[in-house]
């Protein structure tokens, strides 16, 4: 009597095969009477030793084969659902502006349209829009420009259906730059309506 494979996962099956010589009566445990030679599929729920008893003119004989059943590992737990802060950081983007301008560029409108979709889907989220400028110009002038940029960002979001009372604005002018280098690539990063989740 042989089992192949001899080790399976719970829910799988193994093949028991046997042969005998001069036997007239064969009995396979958990299966019953069987032919002198043959095979059968078994799917034990737990590790099982199968025994076949052969009887014939010369007496009786036993043979055994064990099928070891392993329990498959549990599936990994699903990843935790992202927090609203993680979703906000993933989907909400800033609006960038041209030099000395507070009107929205096409790329800024596209970014804010996606922001509005997120905000409309998460009505519990309130935001703060910070108006930022690059280092050129006086502090006083840039405070005014930063406020116009923050207001333009808010106005566009409200035009897309986001309630105005969910959006606060503040201007930081050129006082909190994102980049401190003195070139256009850096200045472009600093000309923005920066959107934060309000606490």
């Amino acid at each position: 009597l042989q089992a192949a494979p001899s080790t399976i996962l719970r829910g799988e099956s193994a093949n028991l095969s046997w042969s005998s010589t001069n036997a007239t009566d064969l009995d396979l445990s958990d299966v019953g009477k069987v032919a002198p030679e043959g095979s059968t599929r078994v799917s034990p729920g737990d590790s099982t030793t199968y025994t076949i008893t052969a009887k014939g003119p010369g007496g009786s004989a036993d043979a055994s084969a064990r099928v070891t059943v392993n329990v498959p590992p549990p599936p990994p737990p699903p990843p935790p659902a992202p927090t609203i802060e993680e979703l906000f950081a993933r989907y909400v983007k800033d609006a960038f502006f041209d030099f000395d301008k507070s009107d929205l560029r096409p790329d800024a409108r596209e970014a804010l349209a996606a922001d509005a979709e997120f905000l409309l889907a998460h009505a519990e989220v309130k935001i703060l829009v910070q108006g930022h400028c690059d280092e050129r110009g006086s502090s006083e002038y840039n405070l005014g420009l930063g406020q116009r940029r923050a207001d333009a960002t808010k106005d566009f979001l409200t035009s897309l259906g986001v309630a105005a009372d969910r959006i606060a604005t503040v201007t930081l002018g050129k006082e909190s730059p994102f980049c401190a280098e003195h070139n256009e690539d850096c200045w472009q990063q600093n000309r923005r309506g920066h959107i934060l989740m309000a606490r």
Side-chain angles (χ1 to χ4, degrees), residues 1-2 16-20 26 28 31 34-40 52:
L1 178 65
Q2 294 183 324
L16 295 179
S17 59
W18 63 90
S19 62
S20 63
L26 280 82
L28 179 59
V31 176
V34 294
E37 185 172 341
S39 65
T40 187
I52 193 166

Side-chain angles (χ1 to χ4, degrees), residues 3-9 12-14 66-70:
S6 59
T7 300
I8 61 174
L9 293 177
E12 296 179 344
S13 59
R66 183 167 179 81
V67 177
T68 301
V69 178
N70 292 327

Side-chain angles (χ1 to χ4, degrees), residues 7-109:
T7 300
I8 61 174
L9 293 177
R10 181 173 290 167
E12 296 179 344
S13 59
N15 189 65
L16 295 179
S17 59
W18 63 90
S19 62
S20 63
T21 303
N22 299 325
T24 57
D25 184 270
L26 280 82
D27 195 297
L28 179 59
S29 61
D30 293 346
V31 176
K33 301 292 183 181
V34 294
E37 185 172 341
S39 65
T40 187
R41 302 290 290 180
V42 292
S43 299
D46 297 294
S47 297
T48 302
T49 298
Y50 293 90
T51 301
I52 193 166
T53 301
K55 297 178 180 179
S60 66
D62 294 335
S64 297
R66 183 167 179 81
V67 177
T68 301
V69 178
N70 292 327
V71 178
T83 64
I84 190 64
E85 289 81 8
E86 291 170 334
L87 290 172
F88 188 93
R90 186 182 307 170
Y91 293 112
V92 176
K93 307 300 180 185
D94 290 348
F96 291 88
F97 294 85
D98 288 330
F99 173 65
D100 202 24
K101 298 291 181 62
S102 60
D103 52 324
L104 294 171
R105 306 186 318 205
D107 63 314
R109 290 173 178 269

Side-chain angles (χ1 to χ4, degrees), residues 98-103 134 141-142 145 148-149 191:
D98 288 330
F99 173 65
D100 202 24
K101 298 291 181 62
S102 60
D103 52 324
D134 66 36
Y141 178 81
N142 279 312
L145 179 58
R148 291 193 296 276
R149 288 173 174 169
R191 300 193 298 262

Side-chain angles (χ1 to χ4, degrees), residues 102-183:
S102 60
D103 52 324
L104 294 171
R105 306 186 318 205
D107 63 314
R109 290 173 178 269
E110 184 177 335
L112 293 175
D115 295 346
E117 284 187 29
F118 177 87
L119 293 170
L120 292 172
H122 298 85
E124 73 279 14
V125 175
K126 294 185 177 182
I127 62 172
L128 171 65
V129 181
Q130 296 177 340
H132 290 267
C133 305
D134 66 36
E135 65 184 352
R136 294 170 292 181
S138 69
S139 294
E140 183 178 5
Y141 178 81
N142 279 312
L143 284 173
L145 179 58
Q147 187 63 55
R148 291 193 296 276
R149 288 173 174 169
D151 290 342
T153 301
K154 175 179 179 177
D155 290 345
F156 190 73
L157 290 172
T158 57
S159 75
L160 296 176
V162 182
D165 61 4
R166 296 172 58 192
I167 308 172
T169 62
V170 65
T171 177
L172 297 179
K174 62 178 183 179
E175 305 308 319
S176 297
F178 291 84
C179 177
E181 296 177 15
H182 308 293
N183 56 57

